[in-house]
Amino acid sequence: MVDLSYSTSCFKEHQLAPALDAIAAAGFRCIEFAIDTHASEDRPGRFAAAASRELEGRGMRATTVHGPARTNVLGAPDETWRKEKVEVLADALRFCGQLGAAGMVIHGIPNPMFLPKDQEQRSLYEPMVAAMKQSVEDLIPVSAATGVRLLLENLPYNCDLEQFDGVGSIGGGGGDYPLMKIVQLRAFIEEFPPDQVGLVIDTGHAWTEGTDPVGEIEAAGDRLWGTHLQDVDAARPADNHWVPTHGGLNWDRILAALQRINYRGTYTFEVINNRHGETPEQLAQLTYEVARGWNLPD
């Protein structure tokens, strides 16, 4: 049976317990635990026992965990920064293992806003890619020990570099920021073991980046082990994180693409923002209704 999962990131103003209550009330039995929302960015492992108790008490489980984000990336161009964040991400992987989650979503290259302002940005591209490779190599033993797969996510940062000009049906910029798209990430992970390193497709990131999520799903193929299903404005996408069908993405094509590649992971919804003034509780309910209407294969 397909697992439907809902990210706790929608409940930014809630403690974990009421967030789980609202997600369960909507109908979901699985979650993606968002560390930045409901744990500690630098040492999430301290929250593992309490989080496990909250889940078990409700008969729920975490299918995936979104690792700490912002500066907690694989591809930090400064070695001190990189090593510090590898330790944070290793702790997060151990947290995932304690929760029984199968995968952890990780951001690869840093958002441009966090890069040194005294260096030409493109001069950092090659060091960031090299750093990302080294960080993955450093984390593979932790992944193997915990049984948690690293899931590298497509990101929308090129849109920040080159704003959408309103031309065409796909938004996003044509910037050259590295390892943003799934097709690039798939080539990047080829040399790493599939049991330890996979991919997660964020549908809204893809469209905001200027890429059709259908093509990205097909490019990921059998290395796709996670989803962030969210909708965006079709003409002027801005990583909106709306309920699927509340934006402009073609969900029939997206679902068909997932079935074509025999996707075996969880259908995870990362709905964060409302479009019509809905509360977080209402967003979870609306999302579950959409998911049940999709008649996903058992």
Side-chain angles (χ1 to χ4, degrees):
M1 177 177 289
V2 168
D3 282 326
L4 301 177
S5 183
Y6 197 78
S7 172
T8 66
S9 59
C10 181
F11 292 89
K12 297 185 287 289
E13 306 302 323
H14 295 61
Q15 296 294 319
L16 179 60
L20 294 179
D21 286 341
I23 293 170
F28 292 97
R29 308 313 304 167
C30 300
I31 65 159
E32 177 171 279
F33 188 103
I35 282 179
D36 284 348
T37 307
H38 289 109
S40 166
E41 174 184 315
D42 56 345
R43 288 291 178 266
R46 294 177 293 168
F47 293 78
S52 294
R53 285 195 300 270
E54 296 287 1
L55 287 166
E56 291 168 4
R58 293 166 175 79
M60 302 176 76
R61 61 189 177 92
T63 51
T64 51
V65 167
H66 197 308
R70 295 182 61 78
T71 60
N72 296 289
V73 294
L74 299 167
D78 174 80
E79 184 63 3
T80 300
W81 173 8
R82 189 193 72 80
K83 286 184 175 180
E84 176 187 338
K85 298 312 180 182
V86 164
E87 289 302 315
V88 171
L89 293 169
D91 189 70
L93 279 169
R94 290 186 281 269
F95 169 88
C96 294
Q98 289 174 274
L99 257 64
M104 185 174 88
V105 178
I106 298 183
H107 290 179
I109 301 296
N111 190 309
M113 72 172 66
F114 298 122
L115 295 181
K117 300 299 185 277
D118 60 348
Q119 292 178 257
E120 198 277 322
Q121 186 169 273
R122 284 179 174 80
S123 71
L124 297 172
Y125 287 4
E126 187 174 339
M128 289 192 297
V129 173
M132 190 162 154
K133 179 179 179 181
Q134 184 61 59
S135 296
V136 172
E137 291 174 352
D138 291 348
L139 289 169
I140 280 176
V142 186
S143 168
T146 58
V148 178
R149 185 182 275 109
L150 307 172
L151 301 178
L152 277 59
E153 182 175 19
N154 61 314
L155 297 167
Y157 302 153
N158 270 326
C159 187
D160 297 332
L161 300 176
E162 185 173 325
Q163 292 297 320
F164 178 54
D165 61 9
V167 177
S169 60
I170 298 180
D176 60 355
Y177 210 59
L179 296 180
M180 293 292 97
K181 303 175 191 295
I182 287 285
V183 66
Q184 298 164 337
L185 290 168
R186 173 64 199 249
F188 174 82
I189 68 170
E190 281 296 334
E191 64 182 277
F192 299 120
D195 287 346
Q196 275 75 60
V197 185
L199 300 170
V200 52
I201 172 76
D202 186 303
T203 53
H205 287 181
W207 197 263
T208 299
E209 168 72 8
T211 307
D212 189 338
V214 169
E216 293 282 76
I217 290 166
E218 292 171 341
D222 61 359
R223 298 298 289 266
L224 189 68
W225 284 100
T227 53
H228 281 167
L229 303 174
Q230 55 122 335
D231 217 331
V232 295
D233 187 89
R236 293 191 175 273
D239 190 22
N240 305 102
H241 285 272
W242 292 333
V243 174
T245 72
H246 283 208
L249 295 184
N250 187 320
W251 289 98
D252 288 341
R253 293 183 65 240
I254 290 169
L255 294 171
L258 288 168
Q259 293 179 29
R260 271 198 306 277
I261 68 165
N262 191 29
Y263 175 64
R264 292 166 287 168
T266 301
Y267 285 68
T268 300
F269 297 85
E270 194 180 45
V271 174
I272 299 175
N273 301 311
N274 68 74
R275 190 169 189 186
H276 305 291
E278 300 94 343
T279 66
E281 292 82 1
Q282 289 170 330
L283 291 177
Q285 293 165 0
L286 287 168
T287 301
Y288 188 76
E289 290 169 7
V290 168
R292 294 304 298 166
W294 283 348
N295 295 317
L296 296 171
D298 292 339

